[in-house]
Amino acid sequence: MSLKLRLSRGGSKQRPFYRIVAADSRMPRDGRYLEKVGTYNPMLPKDHEDRVVLVEDSIKAWLAKGAQPTDRVARILAAKGIIDAPKRPDQTKQGE
């Protein structure tokens, strides 16, 4: 079973709210998950303390078990200092 740390969307239309979950990669985005390890509310200001809430012990345990974070979750975890910042592809146009 390949594990992912990913976002599961909630909230109403135009008012997103995300759970950060550990899930089997074969399950649907908002479907069954193994454990909720945090929340992300993009509607709050960037400096608000409740914008990102993480359960660091659970996240570290899932990473130790081999769970791979998605791009957005990796950026959130890197901002909180849990993992190293992911390498991003070069943004310049290829072939010029």
Side-chain angles (χ1 to χ4, degrees):
M1 173 167 58
S2 73
L3 298 171
K4 292 274 188 190
L5 291 177
R6 66 178 176 203
L7 297 175
S8 176
R9 192 180 194 280
S12 60
K13 187 164 51 171
Q14 303 294 321
R15 306 284 297 171
F17 180 82
Y18 298 94
R19 289 182 199 89
I20 301 170
V21 298
D24 184 349
S25 64
R26 297 170 292 186
M27 292 294 125
R29 178 193 71 181
D30 298 335
R32 188 173 58 184
Y33 58 87
L34 301 170
E35 182 181 2
K36 179 179 139 184
V37 295
T39 59
Y40 169 57
N41 187 352
M43 300 301 290
L44 294 175
K46 291 190 179 195
D47 59 347
H48 197 280
E49 63 186 32
D50 291 334
R51 182 177 169 101
V52 177
V53 177
L54 301 173
V55 181
E56 292 188 30
D57 296 335
S58 294
I59 291 172
K60 290 177 182 175
W62 283 111
L63 291 171
K65 292 176 187 174
Q68 296 295 314
T70 58
D71 293 336
R72 178 59 57 182
V73 172
R75 288 178 59 191
I76 291 170
L77 297 179
K80 292 288 186 173
I82 296 174
I83 62 171
D84 294 331
K87 293 185 179 186
R88 299 186 68 196
D90 190 11
Q91 298 293 324
T92 60
K93 291 183 180 179
Q94 299 295 324
E96 288 187 17

